[in-house]
PDB file of all heavy atoms in Angstrom:
ATOM      1  N   ARG A   1      95.567 112.333  93.778  1.00 90.00           N
ATOM      2  CA  ARG A   1      95.494 111.971  92.357  1.00 90.00           C
ATOM      3  C   ARG A   1      95.031 113.189  91.575  1.00 90.00           C
ATOM      4  O   ARG A   1      94.268 114.005  92.076  1.00 90.00           O
ATOM      5  CB  ARG A   1      94.515 110.831  92.164  1.00 90.00           C
ATOM      6  CG  ARG A   1      94.959 109.576  92.879  1.00 90.00           C
ATOM      7  CD  ARG A   1      94.055 108.483  92.518  1.00 90.00           C
ATOM      8  NE  ARG A   1      94.716 107.827  91.398  1.00 90.00           N
ATOM      9  CZ  ARG A   1      94.464 106.616  91.003  1.00 90.00           C
ATOM     10  NH1 ARG A   1      93.549 105.921  91.597  1.00 90.00           N
ATOM     11  NH2 ARG A   1      95.120 106.085  89.990  1.00 90.00           N
ATOM     12  N   GLY A   2      95.497 113.300  90.340  1.00 93.00           N
ATOM     13  CA  GLY A   2      95.102 114.430  89.506  1.00 93.00           C
ATOM     14  C   GLY A   2      95.621 115.755  90.024  1.00 93.00           C
ATOM     15  O   GLY A   2      94.976 116.790  89.897  1.00 93.00           O
ATOM     16  N   HIS A   3      96.822 115.723  90.581  1.00 91.00           N
ATOM     17  CA  HIS A   3      97.374 116.924  91.227  1.00 91.00           C
ATOM     18  C   HIS A   3      97.619 118.073  90.243  1.00 91.00           C
ATOM     19  O   HIS A   3      97.515 119.229  90.635  1.00 91.00           O
ATOM     20  CB  HIS A   3      98.646 116.589  92.001  1.00 91.00           C
ATOM     21  CG  HIS A   3      99.721 116.027  91.155  1.00 91.00           C
ATOM     22  ND1 HIS A   3      99.791 114.710  90.832  1.00 91.00           N
ATOM     23  CD2 HIS A   3     100.742 116.639  90.525  1.00 91.00           C
ATOM     24  CE1 HIS A   3     100.823 114.516  90.045  1.00 91.00           C
ATOM     25  NE2 HIS A   3     101.419 115.669  89.834  1.00 91.00           N
ATOM     26  N   VAL A   4      97.927 117.783  88.991  1.00 94.00           N
ATOM     27  CA  VAL A   4      98.156 118.874  88.035  1.00 94.00           C
ATOM     28  C   VAL A   4      96.853 119.630  87.802  1.00 94.00           C
ATOM     29  O   VAL A   4      96.820 120.863  87.872  1.00 94.00           O
ATOM     30  CB  VAL A   4      98.758 118.361  86.708  1.00 94.00           C
ATOM     31  CG1 VAL A   4      98.834 119.477  85.676  1.00 94.00           C
ATOM     32  CG2 VAL A   4     100.148 117.770  86.943  1.00 94.00           C
ATOM     33  N   ALA A   5      95.762 118.930  87.575  1.00 95.00           N
ATOM     34  CA  ALA A   5      94.464 119.577  87.374  1.00 95.00           C
ATOM     35  C   ALA A   5      94.026 120.309  88.636  1.00 95.00           C
ATOM     36  O   ALA A   5      93.532 121.447  88.563  1.00 95.00           O
ATOM     37  CB  ALA A   5      93.408 118.549  86.970  1.00 95.00           C
ATOM     38  N   LYS A   6      94.222 119.699  89.795  1.00 96.00           N
ATOM     39  CA  LYS A   6      93.849 120.355  91.058  1.00 96.00           C
ATOM     40  C   LYS A   6      94.686 121.614  91.279  1.00 96.00           C
ATOM     41  O   LYS A   6      94.182 122.642  91.721  1.00 96.00           O
ATOM     42  CB  LYS A   6      93.994 119.378  92.219  1.00 96.00           C
ATOM     43  CG  LYS A   6      92.888 118.338  92.256  1.00 96.00           C
ATOM     44  CD  LYS A   6      93.083 117.385  93.415  1.00 96.00           C
ATOM     45  CE  LYS A   6      92.031 116.336  93.568  1.00 96.00           C
ATOM     46  NZ  LYS A   6      91.317 115.850  92.461  1.00 96.00           N
ATOM     47  N   GLY A   7      95.973 121.525  90.957  1.00 97.00           N
ATOM     48  CA  GLY A   7      96.852 122.688  91.101  1.00 97.00           C
ATOM     49  C   GLY A   7      96.462 123.821  90.161  1.00 97.00           C
ATOM     50  O   GLY A   7      96.495 124.989  90.536  1.00 97.00           O
ATOM     51  N   ARG A   8      96.084 123.476  88.937  1.00 97.00           N
ATOM     52  CA  ARG A   8      95.634 124.503  87.976  1.00 97.00           C
ATOM     53  C   ARG A   8      94.348 125.167  88.462  1.00 97.00           C
ATOM     54  O   ARG A   8      94.229 126.389  88.404  1.00 97.00           O
ATOM     55  CB  ARG A   8      95.421 123.888  86.593  1.00 97.00           C
ATOM     56  CG  ARG A   8      96.690 123.613  85.825  1.00 97.00           C
ATOM     57  CD  ARG A   8      96.399 122.960  84.484  1.00 97.00           C
ATOM     58  NE  ARG A   8      95.643 123.816  83.593  1.00 97.00           N
ATOM     59  CZ  ARG A   8      96.173 124.702  82.747  1.00 97.00           C
ATOM     60  NH1 ARG A   8      97.483 124.831  82.683  1.00 97.00           N
ATOM     61  NH2 ARG A   8      95.415 125.422  81.959  1.00 97.00           N
ATOM     62  N   ASP A   9      93.397 124.369  88.942  1.00 97.00           N
ATOM     63  CA  ASP A   9      92.138 124.932  89.445  1.00 97.00           C
ATOM     64  C   ASP A   9      92.388 125.839  90.650  1.00 97.00           C
ATOM     65  O   ASP A   9      91.808 126.925  90.756  1.00 97.00           O
ATOM     66  CB  ASP A   9      91.153 123.824  89.825  1.00 97.00           C
ATOM     67  CG  ASP A   9      90.604 123.090  88.619  1.00 97.00           C
ATOM     68  OD1 ASP A   9      90.704 123.618  87.484  1.00 97.00           O
ATOM     69  OD2 ASP A   9      90.075 121.975  88.806  1.00 97.00           O
ATOM     70  N   PHE A  10      93.236 125.394  91.562  1.00 97.00           N
ATOM     71  CA  PHE A  10      93.599 126.172  92.739  1.00 97.00           C
ATOM     72  C   PHE A  10      94.225 127.509  92.319  1.00 97.00           C
ATOM     73  O   PHE A  10      93.879 128.572  92.847  1.00 97.00           O
ATOM     74  CB  PHE A  10      94.587 125.344  93.580  1.00 97.00           C
ATOM     75  CG  PHE A  10      95.095 126.009  94.805  1.00 97.00           C
ATOM     76  CD1 PHE A  10      94.313 126.094  95.943  1.00 97.00           C
ATOM     77  CD2 PHE A  10      96.390 126.529  94.850  1.00 97.00           C
ATOM     78  CE1 PHE A  10      94.794 126.696  97.100  1.00 97.00           C
ATOM     79  CE2 PHE A  10      96.878 127.122  95.994  1.00 97.00           C
ATOM     80  CZ  PHE A  10      96.080 127.206  97.127  1.00 97.00           C
ATOM     81  N   THR A  11      95.126 127.451  91.344  1.00 97.00           N
ATOM     82  CA  THR A  11      95.796 128.657  90.849  1.00 97.00           C
ATOM     83  C   THR A  11      94.811 129.569  90.123  1.00 97.00           C
ATOM     84  O   THR A  11      94.835 130.784  90.306  1.00 97.00           O
ATOM     85  CB  THR A  11      96.967 128.279  89.924  1.00 97.00           C
ATOM     86  OG1 THR A  11      97.860 127.423  90.647  1.00 97.00           O
ATOM     87  CG2 THR A  11      97.707 129.509  89.425  1.00 97.00           C
ATOM     88  N   ARG A  12      93.934 128.995  89.323  1.00 96.00           N
ATOM     89  CA  ARG A  12      92.930 129.781  88.596  1.00 96.00           C
ATOM     90  C   ARG A  12      92.063 130.576  89.582  1.00 96.00           C
ATOM     91  O   ARG A  12      91.802 131.760  89.378  1.00 96.00           O
ATOM     92  CB  ARG A  12      92.068 128.868  87.728  1.00 96.00           C
ATOM     93  CG  ARG A  12      91.131 129.618  86.809  1.00 96.00           C
ATOM     94  CD  ARG A  12      90.333 128.685  85.904  1.00 96.00           C
ATOM     95  NE  ARG A  12      91.190 128.149  84.850  1.00 96.00           N
ATOM     96  CZ  ARG A  12      91.556 126.880  84.734  1.00 96.00           C
ATOM     97  NH1 ARG A  12      91.149 125.980  85.590  1.00 96.00           N
ATOM     98  NH2 ARG A  12      92.336 126.501  83.741  1.00 96.00           N
ATOM     99  N   ARG A  13      91.652 129.938  90.674  1.00 96.00           N
ATOM    100  CA  ARG A  13      90.843 130.641  91.692  1.00 96.00           C
ATOM    101  C   ARG A  13      91.632 131.771  92.346  1.00 96.00           C
ATOM    102  O   ARG A  13      91.106 132.856  92.579  1.00 96.00           O
ATOM    103  CB  ARG A  13      90.337 129.657  92.736  1.00 96.00           C
ATOM    104  CG  ARG A  13      89.169 128.808  92.259  1.00 96.00           C
ATOM    105  CD  ARG A  13      88.519 128.037  93.392  1.00 96.00           C
ATOM    106  NE  ARG A  13      89.445 127.146  94.093  1.00 96.00           N
ATOM    107  CZ  ARG A  13      89.722 125.893  93.736  1.00 96.00           C
ATOM    108  NH1 ARG A  13      89.146 125.376  92.671  1.00 96.00           N
ATOM    109  NH2 ARG A  13      90.572 125.179  94.439  1.00 96.00           N
ATOM    110  N   ALA A  14      92.904 131.516  92.652  1.00 95.00           N
ATOM    111  CA  ALA A  14      93.737 132.558  93.268  1.00 95.00           C
ATOM    112  C   ALA A  14      93.909 133.736  92.311  1.00 95.00           C
ATOM    113  O   ALA A  14      93.783 134.897  92.723  1.00 95.00           O
ATOM    114  CB  ALA A  14      95.098 131.989  93.668  1.00 95.00           C
ATOM    115  N   LEU A  15      94.190 133.453  91.039  1.00 95.00           N
ATOM    116  CA  LEU A  15      94.358 134.533  90.056  1.00 95.00           C
ATOM    117  C   LEU A  15      93.079 135.363  89.942  1.00 95.00           C
ATOM    118  O   LEU A  15      93.135 136.598  89.861  1.00 95.00           O
ATOM    119  CB  LEU A  15      94.748 133.959  88.693  1.00 95.00           C
ATOM    120  CG  LEU A  15      96.129 133.315  88.602  1.00 95.00           C
ATOM    121  CD1 LEU A  15      96.299 132.604  87.266  1.00 95.00           C
ATOM    122  CD2 LEU A  15      97.231 134.335  88.823  1.00 95.00           C
ATOM    123  N   LEU A  16      91.938 134.713  89.950  1.00 94.00           N
ATOM    124  CA  LEU A  16      90.655 135.413  89.902  1.00 94.00           C
ATOM    125  C   LEU A  16      90.473 136.288  91.140  1.00 94.00           C
ATOM    126  O   LEU A  16      90.143 137.471  91.037  1.00 94.00           O
ATOM    127  CB  LEU A  16      89.512 134.402  89.780  1.00 94.00           C
ATOM    128  CG  LEU A  16      88.101 134.964  89.789  1.00 94.00           C
ATOM    129  CD1 LEU A  16      87.870 135.848  88.562  1.00 94.00           C
ATOM    130  CD2 LEU A  16      87.086 133.827  89.821  1.00 94.00           C
ATOM    131  N   ASP A  17      90.719 135.721  92.313  1.00 93.00           N
ATOM    132  CA  ASP A  17      90.568 136.471  93.566  1.00 93.00           C
ATOM    133  C   ASP A  17      91.515 137.662  93.642  1.00 93.00           C
ATOM    134  O   ASP A  17      91.178 138.698  94.213  1.00 93.00           O
ATOM    135  CB  ASP A  17      90.814 135.565  94.772  1.00 93.00           C
ATOM    136  CG  ASP A  17      89.722 134.536  94.978  1.00 93.00           C
ATOM    137  OD1 ASP A  17      88.648 134.652  94.337  1.00 93.00           O
ATOM    138  OD2 ASP A  17      89.943 133.601  95.777  1.00 93.00           O
ATOM    139  N   TRP A  18      92.697 137.515  93.068  1.00 93.00           N
ATOM    140  CA  TRP A  18      93.695 138.581  93.135  1.00 93.00           C
ATOM    141  C   TRP A  18      93.600 139.552  91.961  1.00 93.00           C
ATOM    142  O   TRP A  18      94.421 140.460  91.843  1.00 93.00           O
ATOM    143  CB  TRP A  18      95.106 137.980  93.206  1.00 93.00           C
ATOM    144  CG  TRP A  18      95.352 137.186  94.463  1.00 93.00           C
ATOM    145  CD1 TRP A  18      94.657 137.272  95.637  1.00 93.00           C
ATOM    146  CD2 TRP A  18      96.355 136.197  94.664  1.00 93.00           C
ATOM    147  NE1 TRP A  18      95.175 136.385  96.551  1.00 93.00           N
ATOM    148  CE2 TRP A  18      96.217 135.713  95.987  1.00 93.00           C
ATOM    149  CE3 TRP A  18      97.354 135.665  93.866  1.00 93.00           C
ATOM    150  CZ2 TRP A  18      97.045 134.724  96.533  1.00 93.00           C
ATOM    151  CZ3 TRP A  18      98.187 134.685  94.397  1.00 93.00           C
ATOM    152  CH2 TRP A  18      98.029 134.223  95.723  1.00 93.00           C
ATOM    153  N   GLY A  19      92.614 139.355  91.081  1.00 91.00           N
ATOM    154  CA  GLY A  19      92.419 140.266  89.952  1.00 91.00           C
ATOM    155  C   GLY A  19      93.415 140.076  88.827  1.00 91.00           C
ATOM    156  O   GLY A  19      93.652 140.990  88.038  1.00 91.00           O
ATOM    157  N   TRP A  20      93.991 138.868  88.733  1.00 93.00           N
ATOM    158  CA  TRP A  20      95.009 138.602  87.727  1.00 93.00           C
ATOM    159  C   TRP A  20      94.539 137.592  86.694  1.00 93.00           C
ATOM    160  O   TRP A  20      95.333 136.863  86.115  1.00 93.00           O
ATOM    161  CB  TRP A  20      96.281 138.073  88.380  1.00 93.00           C
ATOM    162  CG  TRP A  20      97.033 139.085  89.175  1.00 93.00           C
ATOM    163  CD1 TRP A  20      96.939 140.434  89.105  1.00 93.00           C
ATOM    164  CD2 TRP A  20      98.028 138.799  90.164  1.00 93.00           C
ATOM    165  NE1 TRP A  20      97.809 141.013  89.988  1.00 93.00           N
ATOM    166  CE2 TRP A  20      98.487 140.034  90.654  1.00 93.00           C
ATOM    167  CE3 TRP A  20      98.569 137.639  90.679  1.00 93.00           C
ATOM    168  CZ2 TRP A  20      99.472 140.137  91.630  1.00 93.00           C
ATOM    169  CZ3 TRP A  20      99.538 137.737  91.647  1.00 93.00           C
ATOM    170  CH2 TRP A  20      99.989 138.964  92.115  1.00 93.00           C
ATOM    171  N   ASP A  21      93.254 137.520  86.433  1.00 91.00           N
ATOM    172  CA  ASP A  21      92.739 136.534  85.489  1.00 91.00           C
ATOM    173  C   ASP A  21      92.399 137.205  84.165  1.00 91.00           C
ATOM    174  O   ASP A  21      92.350 138.423  84.071  1.00 91.00           O
ATOM    175  CB  ASP A  21      91.494 135.846  86.063  1.00 91.00           C
ATOM    176  CG  ASP A  21      90.362 136.828  86.299  1.00 91.00           C
ATOM    177  OD1 ASP A  21      90.637 137.922  86.823  1.00 91.00           O
ATOM    178  OD2 ASP A  21      89.211 136.517  85.955  1.00 91.00           O
ATOM    179  N   GLY A  22      92.203 136.397  83.148  1.00 90.00           N
ATOM    180  CA  GLY A  22      91.721 136.902  81.875  1.00 90.00           C
ATOM    181  C   GLY A  22      92.760 137.504  80.949  1.00 90.00           C
ATOM    182  O   GLY A  22      92.405 138.158  79.979  1.00 90.00           O
ATOM    183  N   THR A  23      94.041 137.293  81.219  1.00 90.00           N
ATOM    184  CA  THR A  23      95.078 137.796  80.313  1.00 90.00           C
ATOM    185  C   THR A  23      95.899 136.613  79.798  1.00 90.00           C
ATOM    186  O   THR A  23      95.856 135.519  80.368  1.00 90.00           O
ATOM    187  CB  THR A  23      96.042 138.785  81.006  1.00 90.00           C
ATOM    188  OG1 THR A  23      96.790 138.084  82.010  1.00 90.00           O
ATOM    189  CG2 THR A  23      95.300 139.957  81.631  1.00 90.00           C
ATOM    190  N   GLU A  24      96.645 136.850  78.735  1.00 92.00           N
ATOM    191  CA  GLU A  24      97.554 135.804  78.241  1.00 92.00           C
ATOM    192  C   GLU A  24      98.581 135.433  79.299  1.00 92.00           C
ATOM    193  O   GLU A  24      98.961 134.272  79.428  1.00 92.00           O
ATOM    194  CB  GLU A  24      98.263 136.272  76.971  1.00 92.00           C
ATOM    195  CG  GLU A  24      97.384 136.251  75.751  1.00 92.00           C
ATOM    196  CD  GLU A  24      98.157 136.576  74.487  1.00 92.00           C
ATOM    197  OE1 GLU A  24      99.334 136.201  74.388  1.00 92.00           O
ATOM    198  OE2 GLU A  24      97.560 137.207  73.608  1.00 92.00           O
ATOM    199  N   THR A  25      98.998 136.402  80.086  1.00 93.00           N
ATOM    200  CA  THR A  25      99.991 136.118  81.120  1.00 93.00           C
ATOM    201  C   THR A  25      99.401 135.258  82.219  1.00 93.00           C
ATOM    202  O   THR A  25     100.104 134.419  82.788  1.00 93.00           O
ATOM    203  CB  THR A  25     100.574 137.420  81.686  1.00 93.00           C
ATOM    204  OG1 THR A  25     101.056 138.217  80.597  1.00 93.00           O
ATOM    205  CG2 THR A  25     101.729 137.143  82.635  1.00 93.00           C
ATOM    206  N   SER A  26      98.115 135.414  82.537  1.00 94.00           N
ATOM    207  CA  SER A  26      97.500 134.526  83.530  1.00 94.00           C
ATOM    208  C   SER A  26      97.444 133.096  82.994  1.00 94.00           C
ATOM    209  O   SER A  26      97.616 132.135  83.749  1.00 94.00           O
ATOM    210  CB  SER A  26      96.124 135.025  83.960  1.00 94.00           C
ATOM    211  OG  SER A  26      95.203 135.008  82.901  1.00 94.00           O
ATOM    212  N   GLU A  27      97.255 132.943  81.695  1.00 95.00           N
ATOM    213  CA  GLU A  27      97.311 131.608  81.092  1.00 95.00           C
ATOM    214  C   GLU A  27      98.732 131.053  81.173  1.00 95.00           C
ATOM    215  O   GLU A  27      98.925 129.857  81.389  1.00 95.00           O
ATOM    216  CB  GLU A  27      96.822 131.641  79.642  1.00 95.00           C
ATOM    217  CG  GLU A  27      95.342 131.933  79.506  1.00 95.00           C
ATOM    218  CD  GLU A  27      94.461 130.884  80.158  1.00 95.00           C
ATOM    219  OE1 GLU A  27      94.747 129.669  80.005  1.00 95.00           O
ATOM    220  OE2 GLU A  27      93.479 131.264  80.829  1.00 95.00           O
ATOM    221  N   ASP A  28      99.730 131.925  81.010  1.00 95.00           N
ATOM    222  CA  ASP A  28     101.122 131.499  81.186  1.00 95.00           C
ATOM    223  C   ASP A  28     101.359 131.006  82.611  1.00 95.00           C
ATOM    224  O   ASP A  28     102.090 130.040  82.830  1.00 95.00           O
ATOM    225  CB  ASP A  28     102.085 132.644  80.891  1.00 95.00           C
ATOM    226  CG  ASP A  28     102.225 132.957  79.417  1.00 95.00           C
ATOM    227  OD1 ASP A  28     101.753 132.162  78.578  1.00 95.00           O
ATOM    228  OD2 ASP A  28     102.795 134.019  79.101  1.00 95.00           O
TER     229      ASP A  28
END
C-alpha cells in the first residue's frame, strides 16, 4: 500500500546516495 510514496522515498534516498539530489532535475 502507498507504493507511489514508498517509491519516491526509495528514489530520493538513491539520488542522495549517488550525489544526484538537490537539483530541479532530481525533482523531475
Side-chain angles (χ1 to χ4, degrees):
R1 297 187 94 160
H3 60 276
V4 173
K6 286 179 179 29
R8 283 178 64 88
D9 289 342
F10 178 78
T11 303
R12 188 177 286 113
R13 283 191 302 273
L15 292 171
L16 177 64
D17 290 348
W18 295 340
W20 290 341
D21 62 316
T23 66
E24 285 186 34
T25 307
S26 65
E27 292 298 317
D28 286 348

